Amino acid sequence: MQKLKKEDINQEVFDLYDDYAHNKIDRKEFIKRLSLYAVGAITLPALLSFISPNYEDSIVVKLDDPKLKNETISYESPKGGKVIKGQLSILNDTTEKLPGVIVVHENRGLNPYIKDVGRRTALEGFIALAPDALSPMGGYPGNDDKGREMQRKRDQTEMLEDFIAGYNYLKNHKDCNGKVAVVGFCFGGWISNMMAVRIPELAAAVPYYGRQPKKEDAAKIKAPLLLQYAGLDKRVNAGWPDFETVLKANNIEHEAHFYPEVNHGFHNNTTPRYDEESADLSWERTIAFFNKHLKG
């Protein structure tokens, strides 16, 4: 199959994928519109393969990394007695209690990329918990398309409560020192913002390209925020001016970074929306922010 490069692809293809990934169009319509860009040597199968996530070749920290202990844990959902499962990662050689970080997935469940981010976080000296909001439905199904379909069937408010319960689980874990922050991506960015709204004692929040809270909710935030936005992400960025106004008016500690000429999802190294320079810089900032607020 033809090997495509990012520079071969029209920006409209990335915008189209964003609409599909965020349930604005169904798969049939996505394929129909995508086929319009299959011209000349660029075939539709090549486009589909290029735009889809590649988990097999993209893992940064493997599950069997000898420096880490990774396990699947369970805790009760506050809604209906359901059980939420998640990946808990911690350094093997730690001799003291560590600050914690909740790692929140996108709108498709706990896929290999987010599990990897959890392990990357743990390597930086945090105890990391990456819950799976799809647990009550059997968990991430191994396929992002099906994962999105499953997650659409869950109520967002209930999922928020499940992640808040994850915060409480981690805060009270025997290896945690009680300081807990959150980082989340896309849907997880919204969850991160809303956890900052709902949890006054949250140590810090780092939403990546996350939808902003309503004005009346944003005013309740106590946690310091590090907000990571993609320069080309018009959909999410449209909510920033009103959010910024509330943050400033209420003297809420925050810093926002807009990474120029990159797409929504730029941190996700499994898709062509990934931008290595921006992803690396944003992650350096994230870890420095966590070190300041959880270890400083």
Side-chain angles (χ1 to χ4, degrees), residues 37-48:
Y37 299 94
V39 294
I42 300 178
T43 65
L44 180 58
L47 269 177
L48 274 172

Side-chain angles (χ1 to χ4, degrees), residues 85-146:
K85 294 184 178 181
Q87 175 189 263
L88 189 75
S89 304
I90 188 171
L91 289 169
N92 257 327
D93 60 357
T94 185
T95 57
E96 57 186 22
K97 293 188 175 186
L98 300 176
V101 177
I102 299 292
V103 181
V104 188
H105 59 69
E106 306 146 306
N107 66 337
R108 61 213 69 173
L110 185 57
N111 61 24
Y113 156 62
I114 296 296
K115 283 187 171 182
D116 187 15
V117 173
R119 296 190 293 270
R120 297 180 213 174
T121 304
L123 279 183
E124 299 291 343
F126 304 95
I127 176 170
L129 173 59
D132 188 355
L134 298 185
S135 297
M137 308 174 75
Y140 173 71
N143 175 285
D144 277 17
D145 286 345
K146 189 172 182 182

Side-chain angles (χ1 to χ4, degrees), residues 11 15 18 186 207-210 212 227-238 240 256-268 273-275 278-279 282:
Q11 175 60 35
D15 296 339
D18 190 76
C186 186
Y208 272 76
Y209 24 86
Q212 300 85 1
L227 304 135
Q228 313 271 30
Y229 291 110
L232 298 176
D233 191 2
K234 296 178 182 178
R235 176 178 55 84
V236 170
N237 296 352
W240 168 242
H257 297 281
F258 288 78
Y259 299 86
E261 300 302 314
V262 299
N263 286 287
H264 181 102
F266 70 82
H267 182 269
N268 187 334
R273 296 186 296 174
Y274 172 61
D275 185 88
S278 297
S282 72

